[in-house]
Amino acid sequence: MTTRPSSIQSRLILLVLGALLAVELVSGWTGYRRALHEADELLDAQLVQYAQIMLSLAHEGRDDEVRLPDIKAHPYQSKLMFQIWDMRGAPRLMLRSPEAPHHWPQGVKPSGYSEVTLTGHAWRFFVARGDNGYVVLAANDLHIHQELASQIALSNMSPYLLAVPILAVLLLLAIRRGLKPLHVLAADLSGRDPQRLDELPEAGLPRELRPPVRAMNQLFGRIRMAMDKERRFTSDAAHELRTPIAALRAQLQVAERTPDPEERQAAIAKALGGTSRMTHLVAQLLALARLGAETADKPDANVNLDDLLHDVVAGLAPQAESRGIQVKTDTEPNCVLTGNAELLRVLLRNLIDNAIRYVPDAGRVRVGLAREGGYVVLTVADNGPGVAVEERDMLGQRFHRFGNQAVEGVGLGLSIARRIAELHGAELVFGEGLEGSGLGARVRFPANG
C-alpha cells in the first residue's frame, strides 16, 4: 500500500496551526493558574471584608439563635456561609447562614484562615475576633475558586479557539499564493520536451527559488554539453569505423575473386591488419566511453607514480627495442598522489606509446617524474617530427591525428590521457620535445604530503 506524500502547503499549515495551538494551551494553562491565584486572593480578601462587616454590625441580641430569612437570589449563595458567635461566657451561636452548621465546624482554627471539608465539600474559612467578644466565621466553597479561574481562562482563550478555523483558511490562501511561483515552475518543467535544455528564467522568482533554479540551469548546461559530446562522439566513431570496415571488405573481395595465391595471401594479410586496427579502435572507444560516463572511477587511493611508471615502460620495452628506440627514465622517489592506479596506468601507457609510435627508428624518448612544490610533474618528450605550434591546442581532441598518417593509430590515445588527467585534477599541456624538436607532454598532478 502506497502512502500519498504530504505537500509543503499542508505541512506549513499543520506546523503553524500546531504551533499556535501549543502556544494557546501553554497560555491557557498559565492563565488558568494565574486566574486561580487571583481568585484565591480576591475571595480571601472578600472573606476578610465580610467578617469585618459582620463584626461591626454584631450587637446584643436575644438569647435565642437568630435565623436569616430563606431568600434564594443567586446560585453562588449556597457556596457561601457565615456564623457569628458570642464568646462572652459560654459560647453562643447568635447568627448563621442557612448553609452553616449549628456548631463550630470541626478543624477550623480559632483565628485566621483554614481549609475544612464539610458535607463532602472543601471550604475555606476565615475567623475574625472582635474586641467586644464576638467571633465571626466566614467561608466559601473552594469549588468557586476553580470555577471562577476556569471561566476566566476559558473566556480569555475563546477568541483564539474561534479564530483557528478562520486562521486556517487565511493561511491556506496565503500559502497557496506564496507557492504560486513553485507551481508555475513545476508546470514549466513538466511541459518541457526532453530535448529542450535551455535555461529557466530567474527574473521575478522569489529568493528561495533562485538557488534550485540556478542549480537546474547548471545541470541543463552539463547535460547539454554531455549530449553534444556524445553526438560528436557517435558521429566521429561511425566515421572512423566506416573506413576500416570498407577497406576490410575490399581486401576480402580481392581475396575471394583473385586466382593468384600470392595476391590472395597479401589481401588476407591486409585484412588481418585492418582487423587489428579495428580492434584497437574499439578498445580505445570503449575506454573513452567509460571515462566519459558519470560512473567513471574517481581517485580513491594513494598511488606511487614512480613504481607505476617503471611497470609501464617495462611493458612497452619490446615495442621500442624492435625499432631501436631508446626509452630513458629520470624519476624521483616518493612521487605519491591520490588516484586510480588503473586509470593512471592507461594515461602513462598512452603518452609513452604515442611517443614511441611517432618517433623515427633509432629515435629517443625521455620520461621524467619529479616533485615541484605541492605537485608531481610527469614529462614525456621525444625527438620525432613533432606538431606545429598552431596545431598543439588541438592535441587531445577525439579522432584528430597529426604528423605521419601512415603510423597506426585512431586519434584517441591523447584524448583518453587528457580525460584521465582531468579526473585527477591535473593539467595536460603540450610543447616542444627533445633538443628543440619532437613533441613534449607535461602533466602536473596535485601531490600527497
Side-chain angles (χ1 to χ4, degrees):
M1 180 179 180
T2 58
T3 57
R4 184 179 179 182
S6 59
S7 64
I8 297 178
Q9 176 177 288
S10 61
R11 288 182 182 179
L12 287 175
I13 293 176
L14 291 177
L15 286 174
V16 173
L17 292 181
L20 180 62
L21 288 175
V23 171
E24 287 186 5
L25 290 175
V26 173
S27 300
W29 174 251
T30 305
Y32 170 76
R33 298 301 302 177
R34 293 187 61 182
L36 184 60
H37 175 73
E38 294 299 326
D40 289 342
E41 295 291 329
L42 177 62
L43 294 175
D44 283 353
Q46 186 180 25
L47 288 179
V48 174
Q49 190 177 36
Y50 192 20
Q52 289 175 341
I53 293 173
M54 287 188 292
L55 279 176
S56 63
L57 297 177
H59 60 279
E60 288 284 346
R62 300 182 306 168
D63 292 338
D64 298 332
E65 177 185 339
V66 179
R67 296 181 59 86
L68 295 177
D70 189 9
I71 301 175
K72 301 295 184 181
H74 195 278
Y76 278 178
Q77 185 175 346
S78 61
K79 299 182 182 296
L80 301 173
M81 71 169 66
F82 72 90
Q83 291 178 336
I84 301 179
W85 289 82
D86 183 2
M87 293 299 185
R88 294 174 300 179
R92 180 169 60 90
L93 180 63
M94 294 181 57
L95 188 64
R96 70 177 182 87
S97 60
E99 294 77 15
H102 295 273
H103 54 83
W104 183 277
Q106 185 178 0
V108 175
K109 299 178 181 179
S111 61
Y113 293 100
S114 55
E115 294 184 5
V116 175
T117 300
L118 293 177
T119 63
H121 290 268
W123 293 77
R124 186 167 179 81
F125 281 85
F126 178 74
V127 178
R129 293 180 175 273
D131 296 336
N132 54 4
Y134 293 104
V135 177
V136 173
L137 281 75
N140 54 41
D141 194 334
L142 285 177
H143 182 69
I144 297 178
H145 299 229
Q146 298 176 355
E147 187 174 346
L148 181 60
S150 300
Q151 289 181 356
I152 294 174
L154 184 60
S155 63
N156 289 334
M157 289 183 62
S158 296
Y160 296 101
L161 295 175
L162 294 175
V164 167
I166 300 174
L167 182 60
V169 174
L170 294 178
L171 277 174
L172 178 62
L173 296 177
I175 292 174
R176 279 185 177 177
R177 183 176 181 84
L179 294 178
K180 186 177 180 180
L182 188 60
H183 297 311
V184 173
L185 177 62
D188 185 7
L189 289 174
S190 62
R192 282 194 167 213
D193 187 86
Q195 302 298 323
R196 183 183 170 189
L197 296 173
D198 56 296
E199 294 186 352
L200 296 167
E202 295 186 31
L205 287 177
R207 185 171 60 246
E208 293 79 6
L209 279 181
R210 290 182 181 178
V213 168
R214 192 174 298 116
M216 281 190 286
N217 287 336
Q218 293 173 355
L219 176 61
F220 288 160
R222 292 194 297 271
I223 294 175
R224 189 166 55 248
M225 292 178 59
M227 292 181 66
D228 292 342
K229 288 182 179 179
E230 292 306 316
R231 291 190 187 100
R232 290 197 303 270
F233 175 79
T234 303
S235 176
D236 292 342
H239 174 74
E240 289 295 320
L241 285 170
R242 188 182 299 116
T243 300
I245 289 175
L248 179 62
R249 180 183 179 85
Q251 295 299 330
L252 291 176
Q253 288 175 343
V254 170
E256 181 183 27
R257 296 173 183 175
T258 182
D260 187 356
E262 293 184 359
E263 186 177 354
R264 183 184 303 112
Q265 192 64 32
I268 293 175
K270 291 181 180 179
L272 289 174
T275 58
S276 298
R277 184 172 182 271
M278 288 181 61
T279 301
H280 180 67
L281 172 60
V282 171
Q284 294 287 65
L285 287 174
L286 291 175
L288 190 59
R290 177 172 173 264
L291 291 175
E294 291 298 328
T295 56
D297 294 333
K298 306 299 182 189
D300 55 5
N302 291 334
V303 180
N304 191 329
L305 208 57
D306 184 22
D307 296 339
L308 203 61
L309 175 60
H310 284 91
D311 289 343
V312 172
V313 171
L316 293 173
Q319 176 183 342
E321 292 173 356
S322 66
R323 297 175 51 207
I325 297 172
Q326 179 187 6
V327 179
K328 183 180 180 180
T329 59
D330 183 12
T331 64
E332 293 182 6
N334 299 322
C335 290
V336 180
L337 54 89
T338 300
N340 183 294
E342 293 305 316
L343 294 184
L344 290 172
R345 185 185 297 274
V346 173
L347 178 144
L348 292 171
R349 184 173 58 247
N350 281 1
L351 290 179
I352 300 173
D353 177 72
N354 186 78
I356 294 174
R357 284 174 183 272
Y358 284 93
V359 78
D361 291 347
R364 291 184 295 115
V365 175
R366 181 177 296 169
V367 183
L369 192 62
R371 291 182 66 98
E372 295 181 4
Y375 297 90
V376 172
V377 179
L378 168 71
T379 56
V380 179
D382 62 65
N383 65 342
V387 176
V389 177
E390 62 273 12
E391 294 180 342
R392 288 174 185 168
D393 291 340
M394 299 183 65
L395 287 172
Q397 295 185 13
R398 296 176 180 178
F399 303 108
H400 282 84
R401 300 182 61 201
F402 303 90
N404 186 4
Q405 298 295 316
V407 176
E408 183 179 349
V410 296
L412 288 176
L414 296 182
S415 177
I416 292 173
R418 184 183 294 278
R419 176 58 180 153
I420 294 174
E422 291 174 354
L423 287 175
H424 289 79
E427 181 184 14
L428 172 61
V429 294
F430 297 96
E432 291 185 353
L434 297 177
E435 302 171 356
S437 64
L439 181 67
R442 176 185 172 92
V443 189
R444 192 173 71 161
F445 298 93
N448 287 0

